[in-house]
Each structure stands twice: as C-alpha cells, then as structure tokens.
C-alpha cells in the first residue's frame, strides 16, 4: 500500500512538473520582451498576410514560399507571449483568440480558408472574438523548419539595418520576434534524438533568446553599437547548434 502511494505521488509530481514546464514559456516573457513591440510585430505580420490574400496569384506565391505557415506560426508565438505577459492586456489585443486564429491560419491551404482565418486574426488584434485557454504548449505553436526560416529572415533584416542604423527603434519588433522564437526553440526539443544532449539544446536556445532580449533592449535604447556587437556575437549560436543537431 505504502509503495503504491509513493508511486502515485511520484506520478502526480512528475506529470504536474511536465505540464507546468511545457504550458508556460521557458522564461518570464514580461522580463524578456516588451508587450508593445510584440503587438507591433503581430500587426506587421497580419498586414503582410493581408497582401497574400488579395488574389489567387498572391496566395499561390505565399503558399509556395511557406509564408502562410511561417507567418501564422510566428503570430501564434507572439500571441502566446502576449497572453502570458503582464502588460499583454494593455495592448488591447485578444491574445488567446489571436493565437488560436493564427494557428488555424498557419494550416490553411486555400484562399477562401485563409481569408476567413485572417479575418479572425484581425478581429483578435482589435480585441474582438472569443477568448480561450491562456495555457498552450510552446512546442506546438510553430513548425521548427518555419521557425528557423523566420530566424534567418529576421536576422537578415537586422544585419542590414545594424550596418547603417536608421530609425533603429522601429526594429524592436524584429528583435521581439527573435526573442519569442528562441523561447519556442527551447521548448521544442524533438530534434534532440540523444537525450543526453538535451542540456546542450536547452543551453544554446537559452543563450540565443537571452541574447535577443539584450539586442531588443539595445535597439529600443537606440544604441546601434551595442546592438551590433550583440547581434554579431549571437550568430555563433546558429553555427554551434547546427553542427551538433543538424549537419
Ligand atoms: C538550439 C539549436 C539551434 C539553434 C540555436 C539554431 N538552429 Fe537552425 N536548425 C536547428 C535544427 C535542429 C535544424 C534542422 C531542423 C529543421 O530544419 O526543421 C535547423 C535548421 C535551420 C534552417 C533550415 C534550413 C536548412 O538549411 O536546413 C535554417 C535556415 C536555420 N536553421 C537557421 C538558423 C539561424 C539563422 C539560427 C541563428 C539565428 C539558427 N538556425 C539557430 C537547430 C538550431
């Protein structure tokens, strides 16, 4: 009897730890990034997606380039960060509704479905629509390949602007996207086939999103030199991790 109880208790503790570990972001989002730039990032993505659904030709190109899956997944990550953020409510965005709508959008394959899903995304951005569960698994927000593509795209934008910074503060939303993708990367460990290497994945993901937090702070402060040195140093995380887990 005693042994059964011990087992049951252990089971309860383990499952509770697992669900807590996965339900919230692997770091306190309120400390990692500002809600203002998260909101701006979500709005920029939704605006771009608006251009993808104007006609069949544009939609075809967006499907081809994976922009629907990628941007939908990115909005879902940003929305989940807003749902967990202390200042999320103040943005006026229905964050949980935005997350759910973006997840639907990311999986659409037809112009008609994407148009309906994007309308829900835009409704949620203006605070409308149904709200849902605050908790969501961070490893189920964006496909890893799409996440990596976005990290490359946003990194390219930031690399260009940091060479010759102009209106640097407006790029805070780009850094904010990289912070939340870093959080999703830390949570999504499915590429780690050898469990003994899990600490490495966690460490490199953590170092990456912490660097992106620092980058975001430097960008918001308009400190181009600091931002550039953080950005340049962060590129080693891509290479180090790819050497171990991808190549
Ligand atoms: C914690 C580990 C990790 C870090 C850090 C990381 N990646 Fe990746 N990356 C992977 C893995 C694993 C894959 C292969 C899985 C996949 O593509 O779905 C991958 C794939 C990619 C791909 C897909 C295309 C290809 O050539 O296979 C791109 C692009 C990419 N990463 C860019 C980046 C960039 C840019 C950074 C840094 C800003 C980065 N990654 C940081 C683990 C990482």
């Amino acid at each position: 009897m005693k042994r059964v109880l011990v087992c049951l208790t252990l089971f309860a503790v383990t499952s509770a730890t697992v669900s807590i570990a996965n339900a919230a972001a692997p770091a306190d989002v309120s400390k990692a990034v500002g809600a203002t730039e998260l909101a701006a990032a979500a709005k920029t993505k939704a605006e771009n997606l608006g251009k993808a659904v104007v006609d069949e030709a544009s939609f075809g190109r967006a499907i081809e380039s994976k922009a629907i899956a990628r941007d939908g997944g990115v909005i879902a990550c940003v929305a989940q960060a807003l749902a967990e953020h202390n200042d999320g409510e103040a943005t006026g965005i229905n964050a949980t509704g935005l997350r759910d709508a973006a997840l639907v959008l990311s999986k659409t394959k037809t112009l008609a479905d994407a148009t309906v899903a994007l309308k829900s995304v835009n409704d949620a951005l203006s605070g409308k629509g149904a709200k849902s569960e605050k908790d969501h698994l961070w490893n189920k927000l964006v496909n890893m390949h799409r996440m990596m593509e976005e990290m490359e795209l946003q990194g390219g934008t930031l690399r260009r602007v940091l060479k010759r910074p102009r209106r640097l503060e407006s790029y805070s939303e780009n850094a904010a996207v990289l912070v939340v993708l870093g959080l999703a990367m830390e949570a999504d460990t499915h590429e780690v086939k050898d469990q003994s290497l899990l600490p490495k994945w966690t460490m490199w993901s953590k170092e990456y999103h912490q660097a992106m937090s620092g980058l975001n702070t430097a960008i918001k402060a308009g400190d181009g030199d600091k931002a550039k040195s953080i950005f340049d140093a962060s590129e080693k995380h891509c290479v180090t991790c790819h050497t171990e887990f991808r190549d």
Side-chain angles (χ1 to χ4, degrees):
M1 183 62 195
K2 206 170 177 191
R3 186 178 287 169
V4 172
L5 261 183
V6 171
C7 284
L8 278 177
T9 317
L10 264 181
F11 177 74
V13 170
T14 329
S15 38
T17 320
V18 168
S19 59
I20 291 165
N22 282 325
D28 182 347
V29 288
S30 305
K31 292 195 183 121
V33 60
T36 313
E37 53 268 26
L38 289 173
K43 286 175 183 163
T44 300
K45 286 282 175 205
E47 251 172 58
N48 287 340
L49 285 164
K51 292 174 205 150
V53 299
V54 289
D55 53 33
E56 286 288 356
S58 311
F59 185 69
R61 282 194 297 275
I63 286 287
E64 185 84 6
S65 67
K66 313 285 183 198
I68 301 290
R70 190 168 51 243
D71 289 349
V74 171
I75 297 177
C77 293
V78 170
Q80 184 57 30
L82 279 170
E84 292 177 30
H85 202 292
N86 293 339
D87 304 325
E89 292 247 343
T91 63
I93 292 174
N94 165 7
T96 55
L98 178 61
R99 174 200 64 213
D100 293 353
L103 286 172
V104 171
L105 176 61
S106 72
K107 296 180 180 77
T108 56
K109 299 278 177 273
T110 66
L111 177 57
D113 289 349
T115 305
V116 173
L118 184 59
K119 186 180 179 306
S120 309
V121 163
N122 283 321
D123 283 350
L125 280 171
S126 50
K128 290 183 279 190
K131 297 193 172 152
S132 71
E133 279 292 311
K134 179 181 161 191
D135 287 341
H136 195 283
L137 296 174
W138 271 79
N139 59 351
K140 296 279 180 280
L141 292 168
V142 63
N143 166 286
M144 178 154 286
H145 209 81
R146 305 286 87 84
M147 168 211 292
M148 291 289 163
E149 288 166 356
E150 180 73 11
M151 278 162 44
E152 187 162 80
L153 290 168
Q154 295 282 10
T157 304
L158 286 169
R159 191 176 305 111
R160 272 192 301 282
V161 68
L162 289 172
K163 266 191 199 140
R164 213 179 289 195
R166 278 187 61 235
R167 299 193 312 112
L168 189 59
E169 295 82 346
S170 66
Y171 291 87
S172 165
E173 62 179 87
N174 303 80
V177 166
L178 293 177
V179 173
V180 295
L181 291 183
L183 294 170
M185 176 164 70
E186 184 178 342
D188 186 352
T189 56
H190 82 273
E191 286 286 342
V192 185
K193 309 297 180 216
D194 174 353
Q195 293 305 297
S196 71
L197 298 177
L198 215 50
K200 284 190 173 177
W201 183 276
T202 306
M203 179 176 69
W204 291 329
S205 304
K206 224 182 249 309
E207 283 176 2
Y208 177 72
H209 66 69
Q210 286 170 351
M212 293 304 101
S213 272
L215 174 69
N216 183 34
T217 306
I219 286 179
K220 282 200 280 188
D223 189 341
D225 290 340
K226 186 163 186 197
K228 187 167 185 318
S229 77
I230 295 174
F231 181 83
D232 290 348
S234 79
E235 299 201 275
K236 72 168 183 292
H237 299 303
C238 322
V239 180
T240 317
C241 192
H242 291 162
T243 309
E244 179 79 58
F245 293 106
R246 188 191 68 176
D247 307 332

